[in-house]
Amino acid sequence: MDERKLTRFLDVNSDAEYELDLRGLDLPHSVASIDRMVERQRFRDDARSVRIGLEPASAGSGETLFGPIGRHLVELMKQGLVAKTRPIANIDGGGFRVELPAGKAPREETASDPDPVGSEPED
């Protein structure tokens, strides 16, 4: 399988810092690529904007991935994994512009926790 990578835009006038090109992929692979991008973002200290490129509609293409991918992005927004999303269209096909929030550090246990997980009650 062709490995899709998040690539930095070289065009200074672009409205997103990175691009995730999903053209040519089916829905399960596209969703998996988005989920990997979001998972990696959890470990970054800064926010980033990404343009997600989708295959343009053609006369015989049937349903495009625009609707299903849009619904998936809304679910990720509800979970707090995507800060903002908006549809985009251009001559190369449609897609979305998403803003990913900075990653969050996992909660650390402290000595002041009254009942840390897995602790035994004292006699």
Side-chain angles (χ1 to χ4, degrees), residues 17 22-23 37 39-40 47 57 70-71 78 81 109 116:
E17 300 168 298
L22 301 178
R23 291 176 289 190
M37 173 187 70
E39 177 64 22
R40 289 182 185 128
R71 287 187 290 276
K78 289 178 183 177
L81 300 171
E109 287 187 27

Side-chain angles (χ1 to χ4, degrees), residues 44-67:
R44 295 185 52 85
D45 293 333
D46 54 342
R48 65 170 42 173
S49 60
V50 180
R51 178 192 183 277
I52 298 174
L54 299 175
E55 193 78 34
S58 63
S61 66
E63 183 184 18
T64 66
L65 297 182
F66 187 83

Side-chain angles (χ1 to χ4, degrees), residues 1 3 10-11 17 19 26 29 54 58 72 79 81-82 90 95 100-101 106 109-110:
M1 181 179 109
E3 180 66 30
L10 298 177
D11 181 6
E17 300 168 298
E19 179 180 33
D26 60 3
H29 288 101
L54 299 175
S58 63
H72 184 64
Q79 298 171 28
L81 300 171
V82 170
N90 61 28
L100 302 172
E109 287 187 27
T110 61

Side-chain angles (χ1 to χ4, degrees), residues 12-115:
V12 177
N13 297 323
S14 172
D15 72 338
E17 300 168 298
Y18 294 87
E19 179 180 33
L20 180 62
D21 186 1
L22 301 178
R23 291 176 289 190
L25 294 181
D26 60 3
L27 181 59
H29 288 101
S30 296
V31 168
S33 293
I34 291 170
D35 290 345
R36 278 193 306 273
M37 173 187 70
V38 168
E39 177 64 22
R40 289 182 185 128
Q41 181 65 21
R42 290 187 332 118
F43 302 102
R44 295 185 52 85
D45 293 333
D46 54 342
R48 65 170 42 173
S49 60
V50 180
R51 178 192 183 277
I52 298 174
L54 299 175
E55 193 78 34
S58 63
S61 66
E63 183 184 18
T64 66
L65 297 182
F66 187 83
I69 294 296
R71 287 187 290 276
H72 184 64
L73 291 171
V74 168
E75 286 302 314
L76 293 173
M77 283 180 63
K78 289 178 183 177
Q79 298 171 28
L81 300 171
V82 170
K84 294 180 184 178
T85 185
R86 69 176 168 89
I88 54 174
N90 61 28
I91 59 173
D92 296 329
F96 295 90
R97 183 188 187 278
V98 298
E99 292 182 24
L100 302 172
K104 298 178 177 88
R107 185 176 95 85
E108 294 181 20
E109 287 187 27
T110 61
S112 64
D113 280 347
D115 186 21

